Amino acid sequence: MELLLTNASFGGEHRRYRHTAATLECQMEFSIFLPPQSLAEPGRKVPVLYWLSGLTCNDENFMQKAGAQKLAAELGLAIVCPDTSPRGVNLPGEDDSYDFGSGAGFYVNATEQPWAPHYRMYDYVVKELPQLVESELPVSAEKSISGHSMGGHGALICALKNPGLYRSVSAFAPVAHPVECPWGQKAFAGYLGGNQEQWNQWDATLLIADAQERLPLLIDQGTADQFLAEQLNPQALVRACHSVNHPVTLRMQSGYDHSYFFIASFIDDHLHHHAEALGLAQPQL
């Protein structure tokens, strides 16, 4: 890994790295916040929250806007933020629109050409990146996952498709039923082709019924979110959960939109949710 920058933050460090991703056949960048506990005690490894960002974002948005580092430092929780797609692989059309191609990998494994060799963000997030981080940095294999919008979709499917891998899962304004929304339909048609049976394997609402693990889902959704009606459909996910008694908490937050102002307002609740599942001591209020 090549260290690109480091910033002191609440007694810990924010770092940004570049590495060659075999899964994606390109150079990738990711950010990590290491809490002070992982730096002060040689040999100590801390658990990790993986954060998956939304359309048009990269690894820097959450670190700069969410305001998560203070509480993460108190909890002893590392946070890893991958990018949202491969970059610079020079595929035709990859930069033509905000909701497909660059910045819009949708956390699936593409099967259609020319996307299949590179757009395998699911395998990168679930397998390659954690293996790299755990081998090179002072973090353990204990992990949780969260995300926003397209990344909320990614967090949900990663947890649902990998029982036992994550201790907890949460999401902000996730694309909860992508096979039934324009963002999801565009991405799935492009990356996965016309067979909608393949699409269903990447839709959290459709995965709930056969989930082999019933991790509680914590979801925050703003009522003033401009994408709520057309793209997000959290109620479909809640109905699917209720039909099979899958634990879910959907909190409709009055007046909040789709922005990082919304995420920053409730990120502490999500960090506490993950810290409890990871067995971390909670700060005294």
Side-chain angles (χ1 to χ4, degrees), residues 26-236:
C26 67
Q27 292 274 298
M28 291 293 286
E29 295 173 357
F30 71 91
S31 293
I32 182 169
F33 172 71
L34 291 169
Q37 297 87 338
S38 66
L39 304 174
E41 302 176 29
R44 177 172 178 180
K45 296 189 174 185
V46 298
V48 186
L49 174 64
Y50 286 84
W51 173 269
L52 307 184
S53 292
L55 290 168
T56 75
C57 293
N58 61 15
D59 60 289
E60 296 183 289
N61 297 76
F62 179 88
M63 291 298 187
Q64 295 179 3
K65 297 180 179 180
Q69 289 91 338
K70 184 176 187 293
L71 181 54
E74 295 173 3
L75 291 166
L77 177 66
I79 303 175
V80 170
C81 299
D83 204 344
T84 54
S85 77
R87 301 283 178 172
V89 290
N90 298 317
L91 299 181
E94 69 178 354
D95 298 320
D96 289 355
S97 59
Y98 80 95
D99 55 357
F100 186 80
S102 296
F106 251 86
Y107 304 102
V108 301
N109 286 338
T111 55
E112 293 295 295
Q113 297 299 333
W115 311 98
H118 301 287
Y119 277 68
R120 303 182 60 81
M121 287 299 295
Y122 173 79
D123 277 355
Y124 176 72
V125 166
V126 171
K127 300 175 183 178
E128 183 174 2
L129 183 59
Q131 290 171 1
L132 176 68
V133 170
E134 291 163 21
S135 66
E136 299 292 336
L137 296 167
V139 303
S140 73
E142 298 296 318
K143 59 180 72 71
S144 294
I145 193 164
S146 186
H148 171 232
S149 194
M150 177 186 72
H153 143 78
L156 293 171
I157 64 168
C158 287
L160 290 168
K161 291 166 73 72
N162 294 279
L165 184 61
Y166 302 99
R167 290 291 192 90
S168 53
V169 59
S170 71
F172 287 81
V175 181
H177 197 12
V179 303
E180 295 293 340
C181 79
W183 280 344
Q185 291 166 354
K186 179 177 181 178
F188 287 5
Y191 296 136
L192 304 173
N195 183 350
Q196 295 201 13
E197 288 299 316
Q198 292 189 26
W199 297 14
N200 296 348
Q201 299 171 26
W202 305 98
D203 185 304
T205 295
L206 301 180
L207 292 172
I208 285 290
D210 296 322
Q212 298 178 32
E213 181 181 35
R214 297 298 177 192
L215 278 183
L217 310 184
L218 171 61
I219 299 172
D220 273 311
Q221 173 64 61
T223 62
D225 190 320
Q226 63 270 40
F227 302 113
L228 175 57
E230 184 179 23
Q231 303 285 8
L232 305 180
N233 202 1
Q235 296 297 344

